[in-house]
Amino acid sequence: MRLLFLGDMVGKTGRTAVWEKLPSLVSDLKLDFVIVNGENAAGGFGITEDIFLETINAGADVVTTGNHVWDQKEAVSFASRHDQFLRPANYPAGTPGKGSGVFYARNGARVMVANIMGRVFMHPELDDPFKSAEAILAACPLKEQADAIIFDFHAEATSEKQCFGHFVDGRASLVVGTHTHVPTADCQILNGGTGYMSDAGMCGDYDSSLGMEKEEPLNRFISKMPKGRFEAASGPSTICGLGIEISDATGLAEKIEPLRIGPRLAETIPSFWR
């Protein structure tokens, strides 16, 4: 199975680039399943229902989120209406929406996608992500209730992300980090066969500070005083994520490499899809 994961869409330039390029990526690369993190898609803070639906229409099968999931107030109401919209699974019981689900890929495979948020340097501090993942895996074991299992681990600390990867190694197809908006160079297959990358990077303008216009973040570092609001950068966007091929027999990773399309960062398409 061929799966594409795209990192956090940031602002209009990020989401527009994904909407424009994703349909051809799905057809040209013969993708079976696509996951996009959309938590920064609305002006850099949260996501609206219209943006979610447009992302699904462009070819995403699931849209994940993170700590900014409720920044747009309408998300509280629409989260429960769409199975393909995921908020972190380790929110307390009773939180609107859901944190995981089983979906069908274009090749008929059952793909379980779970959105988990880390706790180190993260706000709000949610329930234990490791216990949450254990409960999800117990309810939906790989190659029993699911042919592939994907975790979007939305977290700040790379140590927490790496430990989470090792925690589910051999029991999940892929653990990919989101939140820091900077693609890491550690795309790999762990010892037990789980694909792993600490952060997929963002889909947004890299002439920025994490997708935001540079001036206000820079001012706050220098003066410690806010002069204005953070605004999403609006320059040309680079799409960042990763491609993975998952074994039909085992549900584990066979090949994994980054995908980057756009200016500033070196462009790359996974070699096994060229």
Side-chain angles (χ1 to χ4, degrees):
M1 180 173 66
R2 292 185 166 195
L3 183 144
L4 174 67
F5 185 100
L6 295 181
D8 311 42
M9 294 188 296
V10 182
K12 182 177 181 180
T13 187
R15 67 179 188 255
T16 301
V18 171
W19 296 346
E20 290 176 350
K21 291 182 169 51
L22 187 53
S24 61
L25 289 174
V26 171
S27 59
D28 294 347
L29 302 179
K30 298 179 174 59
L31 301 177
D32 296 306
F33 202 82
V34 177
I35 303 167
V36 179
N37 187 291
E39 74 142 9
N40 301 117
F45 300 95
I47 184 170
T48 66
E49 187 170 21
D50 285 345
I51 292 173
F52 161 74
L53 291 172
E54 191 72 28
T55 306
I56 294 296
N57 290 337
D61 296 285
V62 175
V63 174
T64 55
T65 56
N67 59 302
H68 288 292
V69 60
W70 311 123
D71 283 7
Q72 301 294 322
K73 298 305 180 184
E74 66 180 85
V76 175
S77 60
F78 81 73
S80 299
R81 292 201 294 268
H82 301 288
D83 288 343
Q84 293 164 286
F85 180 81
L86 298 183
R87 46 81 176 162
N90 49 333
Y91 265 98
T95 302
K98 63 179 187 176
S100 65
V102 177
F103 309 90
Y104 283 94
R106 293 169 185 81
N107 65 345
R110 300 162 300 168
V111 183
M112 198 281 285
V113 182
N115 196 179
I116 303 279
M117 198 165 103
R119 296 201 292 186
V120 179
F121 309 128
M122 296 292 288
H123 300 282
E125 185 172 307
L126 302 185
D127 296 340
D128 186 338
F130 295 88
K131 288 184 178 179
S132 179
E134 191 65 54
I136 289 169
L137 290 171
C140 187
L142 185 62
K143 297 310 295 180
E144 292 183 25
Q145 275 74 44
D147 300 303
I149 295 177
I150 314 299
F151 282 99
D152 174 346
F153 193 69
H154 196 81
E156 181 76 24
T158 51
S159 58
E160 188 180 22
K161 292 178 178 182
Q162 289 178 338
C163 284
F164 185 87
H166 293 304
F167 179 69
V168 302
D169 186 20
R171 300 187 290 164
S173 312
L174 173 68
V175 172
V176 57
T178 54
H179 179 65
T180 65
H181 294 195
V182 177
T184 54
D186 61 343
C187 197
Q188 61 181 294
I189 298 176
L190 302 177
N191 291 340
T194 296
Y196 176 84
M197 187 175 185
S198 289
D199 203 284
M202 69 174 179
C203 299
D205 178 5
Y206 277 82
D207 183 17
S208 68
S209 174
L210 306 181
M212 296 292 124
E213 293 286 1
K214 303 186 291 286
E215 289 73 19
E216 182 58 18
L218 182 58
N219 162 66
R220 295 191 191 187
F221 278 115
I222 294 171
S223 72
K224 310 302 179 185
M225 294 290 292
K227 287 185 178 178
R229 300 176 58 187
F230 282 8
E231 300 286 347
S234 57
S237 180
T238 298
I239 290 177
C240 284
L242 62 87
I244 180 171
E245 292 204 350
I246 299 168
S247 168
D248 293 334
T250 66
L252 297 172
E254 292 184 320
K255 301 172 185 176
I256 181 171
E257 289 181 16
L259 177 143
R260 292 169 198 146
I261 302 172
R264 294 200 169 264
L265 305 186
E267 288 201 359
T268 180
I269 298 288
S271 59
F272 43 86
W273 290 349
R274 293 173 194 161

